[in-house]
Amino acid sequence: MSLLVVGLSHRSAPVSVLERASLSVDAQVKLVQDTVAAEPAAEAAVLATCNRIELYADVDKFHAGVSELSTLLAQHSGVGLEELTPYLYVHYEDRAVHHLFSVACGLDSMVVGEGQILGQIKDSLARAQELHTAGRLLNDLFQQALRVGKRAHSETGIDRAGQSLVTFGLEQLAAGGAVTDWARGKKALVIGAGSMSSLAAATLARAGVAEIVIANRTQERAERLAQILTEGDDTAVRARAVAMSAVPDELTRADIAVSCTGATGLVLTAETIAAAVEGRTGAPAAEVADDRTGAEARRTAAKPAGKAEARETPLPPTTVGAEDGCPLDLAAVEPGFSLLGESAVAGIDAATLEQHGTWVDGGTSLLERRRKPGGGTVDRREHAERAVEADAELIGALAATVATAGRIPELRKPEPVAVAPRPEPVLFVLDLAMPRDVDAAVHRLAGARLVDIESLAEASADAPMAADVDQVRRIVADEVADFAAAQRAAHITPTVVALRTMAADVVAGEIARLEGRLPGLDDKHRAEITQTVRRVVDKLLHAPTVRVKQLAAEPGGAGYADALRTLFDLDPETVASVSQADDDSQKNGRNRGPA
C-alpha cells in the first residue's frame, strides 16, 4: 500500500474554483466514507481549509487511485471533473509526505508561517479516527506532521515570516499602517462564532477596538464568545451578542465588519453594504473603479483602447541619434517624438528615407522584404524597377503632409486617464469565508474597503519570505527521510513477528516431545531446559532480525521482508494476519491522541 494525495489549493486554482469546490463538514464525512469504500483505497482523510481541499488515501494502485480520488472529489464538490482536473495536483509516497509536512509547517499557506493549519490538521485526523478511516499509515503520517509543524515553530523563526490569516487581513485593511493604531477606538461587528471568527474577535480585542458585536445563527454561541471577550484578562473591550437579523442595523454603527461563516450563499450583499455606508454618511454609496491591485487588474488597466491595443512593440527611443550608423542627425529632434514619425522624417527626400528605413530595420531595407507572387524573394534591383512609381507616390504623399502640416502624424500611446481619488472608507470589511460571505461587488463601492480571500491571495504573492523558511525546509527534508525509514522498517515488522512466532512454536513442540521421552523429568530441570532452548533460539534470531530491520529502513530495503519469508518458509497468511491486527488496533483507537 502507498500514500496518495489529490487536491487543489490557492496555489493551483483560482479563488472562484476553490469557492465552488469547498466542502461542508457533512460532505467531508461522506467523501472519506466513499473513499474507503472504493476499491483502490484502504484508508482516507480529508484536509479542508479556506484555501485548500486535499484527499489523502492509502492505495494499492497509483493510476486507479488517482482516477478514483479525482472522481470522488469532483462528485462531492459539485464541480465537474473536466473543469476540476486542470487545477488538481497529485503527490505520491515520499512526495505526499513532504507535501503534508510542508503544509503543517505553514510553508504552503497563503500567509507563510501561519500556525492555524496545525489545528486544522489535528481536526482532520480526529475526524478520520472517529470514522475509523485512519489506519496505521495515516495515523502515523498526521501525528508526525503535527510534531514536525510544532518543531518548525519552536526551533525556527518561521512565525516572523507570517501571521494568521486574520492578522494578515487586518493589515491589508489598515493599508500598511499599524493595526493597533488603525483599530484603536473603532467598533467591530464579527459575523460567525467559529474558530476563525473567534480568532478575529480576539485579535481585534487585543488591537484595541472599543466594542465588538458578535452575530451568529446560534445565539448561545455568540453569547458565549461575547462573554469570553468581556472577561478576558488581556483585553478591555465591550462585547455583546445579537441575532443575525440585527446585522443590517449593526453595520450602520460599525467601523469594521469581519465575516466567516459556513453559509453557502452571500451573507452580506452589495446592497446591504451600500445601505450601511449611506446610513453612516447620509449620502448614497457611489460605484467607483475597483481598487484592487492584482496582476490581472493591472494588466486590464494597462491595455490601450482601439487599434492601439494591437500595438505591443514599444516605440523606439528618441536618443538613437547618438548611436553609430544612424544616417540622420536627430540630436535636435524634440523629445517625445518617435524615430518613425513626426519630425524624424520631416523634410527628407526619398533616398534618405529609404536609407533611414534600412538602418531602423537592422540593415535590411523595408523595400526588400516584399515577396514574389509565386514565392521567393524579389532582389533589390528587380524590386527597385517594379516599385519606383509606388514608392515615389508614398514619398510624395509624406512630403505633401510635411509641407502642409509641418510634420507627419503618428499613433501615440494614450495619455493616462486621470482617476478621481477614491474617498476614504467609512466601513472596512474583511471576508475570510470560503465560499465568500461578502459580495465581490463591494470592491466597487465608494465608502467601503473590502478584503477577501482573493485579494489576500494577490497580496501574499508579493509578501517577502523570511530567512527562516530555508531552515524549515531542511527540517521538513530530514523529517521526510526519517518517516520513510520508519515506514520501511515497520513494513518488515510483521515478518519478524511471524518469524519469532514460528520459532516459539518450534520450541514449544520440542519441549513437549522431550516431556514425552522423559516423563520423570522434575519441574526444576524441565524449566531449566526450556529456558536454555529459548535462549539459544533468541540468540540465533537476534542478529538477523535486528540487521534486517536496519537494512529494510534504508532506501530500496523493501525486498528484505520477502527474502526473510522465503528463507524461513514463513506462511504469508500468518504475516498478513499480524499486519491486519496492527492496523485494526490503530483503527480501534489505541493511538488516537495526536501529539
Side-chain angles (χ1 to χ4, degrees):
M1 305 297 281
S2 301
L3 178 65
L4 175 67
V5 56
V6 177
L8 66 160
S9 72
H10 65 100
R11 295 187 182 276
S12 68
V15 173
S16 58
V17 175
L18 282 173
E19 189 175 32
R20 293 170 52 209
S22 62
L23 299 172
S24 65
V25 174
D26 291 341
Q28 294 176 40
V29 170
K30 191 67 168 61
L31 174 58
V32 170
Q33 291 173 333
D34 288 352
T35 301
V36 294
E39 182 179 347
E43 305 177 31
V46 171
L47 177 59
T49 70
C50 61
N51 52 34
R52 79 176 60 252
I53 304 163
E54 296 177 344
L55 179 56
Y56 292 78
D58 187 8
V59 300
D60 57 1
K61 298 175 183 176
F62 172 74
H63 293 290
V66 171
S67 176
E68 189 66 33
L69 267 59
S70 302
T71 300
L72 288 169
L73 270 176
Q75 289 176 350
H76 290 80
S77 67
V79 180
L81 181 59
E82 291 185 359
E83 182 180 359
L84 192 65
T85 297
Y87 305 111
L88 293 178
Y89 48 78
V90 175
H91 298 297
Y92 190 56
E93 294 187 327
D94 286 357
R95 289 300 307 169
V97 177
H98 188 280
H99 175 73
L100 181 59
F101 287 3
S102 298
V103 169
C105 294
L107 293 180
D108 198 59
S109 296
M110 184 178 293
V111 182
V112 174
E114 61 94 8
Q116 290 172 266
I117 188 65
L118 286 174
Q120 294 161 331
I121 291 174
K122 185 176 181 179
D123 292 342
S124 176
L125 174 59
R127 183 176 298 110
Q129 289 171 336
E130 291 172 2
L131 298 171
H132 303 291
T133 62
R136 179 186 58 81
L137 177 60
L138 291 188
N139 269 289
D140 291 349
L141 174 69
F142 276 70
Q143 291 184 43
Q144 184 69 10
L146 292 170
R147 287 191 287 269
V148 173
K150 291 176 182 178
R151 179 188 169 192
H153 285 280
S154 64
E155 296 183 12
T156 74
I158 190 67
D159 291 328
R160 295 194 298 268
Q163 57 277 327
S164 72
L165 203 60
V166 170
T167 305
F168 189 56
L170 293 176
E171 288 181 353
Q172 298 304 305
L173 284 179
V179 172
T180 51
D181 296 339
W182 167 78
R184 186 176 296 114
K186 286 183 168 64
K187 296 180 180 180
L189 170 65
V190 176
I191 304 174
S195 58
M196 188 72 79
S197 298
S198 299
L199 178 60
T203 303
L204 287 168
R206 288 192 295 269
V209 296
E211 181 184 37
I212 297 178
V213 178
I214 309 296
N216 192 58
R217 286 185 172 82
T218 304
Q219 184 76 9
E220 291 77 14
R221 294 189 66 180
E223 292 174 351
R224 184 163 60 250
L225 178 56
Q227 182 180 2
I228 292 173
L229 293 171
T230 302
E231 297 175 355
D233 296 332
D234 58 343
T235 61
V237 64
R238 300 188 305 274
R240 56 188 175 89
V242 299
M244 288 294 290
S245 58
V247 165
D249 291 336
E250 294 295 338
L251 277 174
T252 61
R253 292 186 284 270
D255 302 296
I256 307 169
V258 180
S259 187
C260 185
T261 72
T264 56
L266 293 177
V267 175
L268 297 177
T269 64
E271 291 75 13
T272 302
I273 298 296
V277 171
E278 184 176 356
R280 292 181 62 98
T281 62
E287 189 170 301
V288 296
D290 193 332
D291 64 347
R292 286 175 291 180
T293 57
E296 185 62 33
R298 288 194 295 269
R299 285 194 298 269
T300 302
K303 284 184 178 180
K307 294 182 180 179
E309 183 174 350
R311 184 174 186 172
E312 297 179 357
T313 304
L315 294 174
T318 60
T319 58
V320 295
E323 295 186 16
D324 294 338
C326 181
L328 302 180
D329 181 11
L330 302 180
V333 174
E334 182 180 344
F337 290 167
S338 84
L339 188 80
L340 299 179
E342 298 197 352
S343 63
V345 295
I348 65 176
D349 58 16
T352 307
L353 182 62
E354 165 64 6
Q355 182 187 13
H356 177 222
T358 301
W359 180 83
V360 170
D361 199 54
T364 302
S365 171
L366 297 176
L367 302 177
E368 292 183 85
R369 300 176 69 88
R370 293 184 180 175
R371 297 283 175 176
K372 292 181 180 180
T377 304
V378 180
D379 61 34
R380 184 182 183 92
R381 179 178 297 178
E382 182 181 357
H383 174 75
E385 293 175 353
R386 292 184 179 182
V388 168
E389 294 184 2
D391 291 333
E393 292 177 1
L394 174 61
I395 299 305
L398 289 172
T401 303
V402 172
T404 304
R407 62 181 183 178
I408 297 176
E410 67 171 333
L411 183 62
R412 294 191 182 205
K413 292 184 178 180
E415 296 294 331
V417 179
V419 178
R422 188 183 181 108
E424 283 298 314
V426 297
L427 179 59
F428 298 84
V429 184
L430 177 58
D431 182 8
L432 297 173
M434 182 63 68
R436 71 179 76 234
D437 279 350
V438 183
D439 191 345
V442 174
H443 284 293
R444 299 192 300 272
L445 288 181
R449 176 180 294 162
L450 170 63
V451 170
D452 52 18
I453 293 295
E454 190 168 12
S455 50
L456 285 177
E458 293 177 353
S460 65
D462 299 326
M465 299 285 284
D468 300 276
V469 167
D470 289 337
Q471 185 178 353
V472 173
R473 287 178 176 146
R474 288 192 293 270
I475 289 175
V476 169
D478 292 342
E479 292 284 355
V480 170
D482 291 345
F483 182 83
Q487 290 299 305
R488 288 192 292 267
H491 178 70
I492 203 170
T493 299
T495 302
V496 173
V497 171
L499 174 60
R500 290 192 172 275
T501 301
M502 184 193 73
D505 292 341
V506 170
V507 170
E510 291 302 315
I511 294 299
R513 190 173 68 167
L514 180 64
E515 289 179 349
R517 291 184 176 184
L518 301 173
L521 195 65
D522 59 62
D523 293 343
K524 179 180 179 181
H525 289 90
R526 182 186 301 106
E528 185 65 29
I529 292 171
T530 301
Q531 186 65 22
T532 299
V533 174
R534 286 176 177 169
R535 280 199 300 268
V536 170
V537 171
D538 286 343
K539 287 183 177 180
L540 287 173
L541 291 180
H542 176 72
T545 53
V546 170
R547 184 60 179 148
V548 79
K549 286 184 178 180
Q550 294 172 345
L551 293 171
E554 297 175 359
Y560 286 101
D562 296 333
L564 202 62
R565 287 193 295 268
T566 301
L567 288 172
F568 289 93
D569 196 23
L570 298 177
D571 184 2
E573 293 185 1
T574 303
V575 177
S577 65
V578 174
S579 180
Q580 183 62 43
D582 182 53
D583 288 344
D584 289 343
S585 68
Q586 294 281 344
K587 288 187 178 182
N588 289 333
R590 292 186 185 178
N591 199 8
R592 290 287 298 276

